[in-house]
Amino acid sequence: MSYTEWAESQLAEIELLTSMFPGQDELELTDQLALAELRSYVENSASGEKPPPSRPQFFIKQRLDSSDTNETKLILTCAYPSEYPSVLPDITVRCSALSRAQQTEIQTDLNKYLMKNCLGDLCVLAAVDWVKENLEHFIKKSLSTAPAPKLESASQTTQDVFSRLWIYSHHIYNKSKRKNILEWSKELGLSGFSMPGKPGVLCVEGPQSACEEFWSRLKVLTWKKIMIRHREDITLNRQGDDSNTVESLDSLRKFTGFEEAMFDPHGNRGNHMDLGQLYQFLNEKGCCDVFQIYFGIEGR
């Protein structure tokens, strides 16, 4: 298929979805300009021209009601790569009734289903139907595996773990993924940075449970390659209210807040960063040793 054919298919699917989910509480297009540019491209471009870089993104919101779902809210976040439907769209499932483990499992199973049955075809409606048909099963699993609450004395010693994850990706281009990274880090109270482009470099730091939640969401998206290149875990002993010395998780942070960091983008698509500037950035944060872990050479 050509870029024009891909774009025509994307526009046709958006128009179908708009007719099926007419309300703002059912379908929310987050970037109207991207949709307008896609429509203009379909109507006016020659077959060899590449599509606009901005990609349509939208939320599909559903309410499910049964004995187990109890009017559960379900949100599917969707974004189109330029080559969709020859490649799968980026679809993320969010449902508050699911445990973290089941959230990861339903995302993984959905991606497997779409890869096996829908690659090459428009598939957003198929994804919505599959999630609606299978959600109750995952909610039941969440309820059956929910741990019993633990009662602890206020003066009992507990342990907190501070984590820092250094994540490597073959590339980070997609605006939807970049938006997710920024939103999830803020939602989970994580600090760090994300360097888009090729390669993609990510660091998140904060409570271990929040870092693990961030990674569980990130890794199930569609990536050419993504991995945790290095991790740091520090266990803190916290005493009860009668203790005079309580070490803070925040005292271990090397970053203030979370940011998307750009280092002199260059190359034909502006997707390569100046690694020398990345090294200086890491050095200023006291993390220069991780540069060799990422790239196998010492920075300067």
Side-chain angles (χ1 to χ4, degrees):
M1 295 180 70
S2 67
Y3 280 112
T4 303
E5 291 172 319
W6 283 322
E8 289 172 346
S9 297
Q10 295 165 22
L11 186 60
E13 184 173 54
I14 290 176
E15 291 175 347
L16 174 63
L17 293 170
T18 303
S19 66
M20 295 186 66
F21 307 111
Q24 183 79 3
D25 59 339
E26 296 176 285
L27 176 67
E28 179 183 350
L29 291 161
T30 59
D31 193 340
Q32 293 288 347
L33 178 59
L35 177 59
E37 290 178 344
L38 178 66
R39 181 173 284 108
S40 176
Y41 171 78
V42 169
E43 294 173 352
N44 302 308
S45 69
S47 59
E49 295 180 6
K50 288 191 174 182
S54 57
R55 309 303 307 147
Q57 302 173 28
F58 51 90
F59 299 108
I60 295 177
K61 308 171 188 178
Q62 297 283 284
R63 292 179 182 269
L64 307 181
D65 194 6
S66 74
S67 57
D68 289 291
T69 57
N70 194 25
E71 199 179 10
T72 299
K73 292 182 180 179
L74 168 68
I75 299 177
L76 274 71
T77 305
C78 306
Y80 289 153
S82 299
E83 298 83 2
Y84 173 70
S86 293
V87 300
L88 292 179
D90 293 316
I91 300 179
T92 305
V93 182
R94 284 282 158 259
C95 178
S96 59
L98 294 176
S99 67
R100 186 173 69 184
Q102 298 311 317
Q103 190 86 54
T104 301
E105 187 175 349
I106 194 173
Q107 186 76 56
T108 301
D109 287 359
L110 171 62
N111 289 342
K112 288 179 180 177
Y113 169 80
L114 295 177
M115 181 64 71
K116 181 179 179 180
N117 298 283
C118 302
L119 187 61
D121 297 320
L122 298 173
C123 66
V124 172
L125 277 178
V128 173
D129 289 340
W130 185 92
V131 173
K132 290 168 67 175
E133 290 172 3
N134 291 275
L135 182 63
E136 188 170 352
H137 164 70
F138 286 97
I139 291 177
K140 287 180 178 178
K141 290 180 69 174
S142 292
L143 295 174
S144 65
T145 58
K150 296 180 180 180
L151 298 177
E152 295 182 349
S153 168
S155 62
Q156 182 179 354
T157 299
T158 61
Q159 289 187 325
D160 287 325
V161 179
F162 174 89
S163 292
R164 183 178 297 113
L165 306 183
W166 296 95
I167 299 169
Y168 169 89
S169 173
H170 178 271
H171 64 266
I172 304 176
Y173 299 147
N174 185 278
K175 287 186 177 181
S176 178
K177 291 176 182 175
R178 291 163 63 180
K179 183 179 179 182
N180 283 338
I181 288 168
L182 294 171
E183 290 180 347
W184 291 344
S185 60
K186 181 179 179 180
E187 173 193 341
L188 297 169
L190 298 173
S191 48
F193 76 97
S194 169
M195 184 187 81
K198 181 180 181 182
V201 174
L202 254 169
C203 175
V204 291
E205 60 178 8
Q208 185 182 63
S209 59
C211 289
E212 295 293 352
E213 171 66 15
F214 180 90
W215 174 240
S216 72
R217 297 182 188 182
L218 187 70
K219 68 181 180 180
V220 297
L221 301 179
T222 305
W223 300 95
K224 183 171 184 178
K225 181 179 182 181
I226 194 166
M227 67 179 73
I228 296 177
R229 181 75 83 181
H230 179 60
R231 69 178 297 151
E232 304 165 55
D233 296 300
I234 302 172
T235 301
L236 303 178
N237 288 322
R238 288 182 176 272
Q239 302 296 324
D241 294 338
D242 57 343
S243 173
N244 292 325
T245 57
V246 178
E247 191 172 10
S248 169
L249 283 168
D250 288 341
S251 68
L252 296 172
R253 295 182 189 265
K254 293 188 180 290
F255 301 89
T256 302
F258 191 94
E259 63 175 316
E260 184 175 79
M262 309 283 278
F263 304 104
D264 189 21
H266 59 279
N268 292 336
R269 298 174 58 187
N271 57 1
H272 293 278
M273 300 295 169
D274 187 320
L275 297 184
Q277 291 186 25
L278 170 63
Y279 174 79
Q280 294 299 325
F281 174 78
L282 294 173
N283 190 39
E284 291 171 1
K285 303 296 183 180
C287 307
C288 59
D289 56 323
V290 83
F291 187 89
Q292 186 170 15
I293 296 174
Y294 268 108
F295 303 107
I297 57 174
E298 294 186 3
R300 60 175 65 182

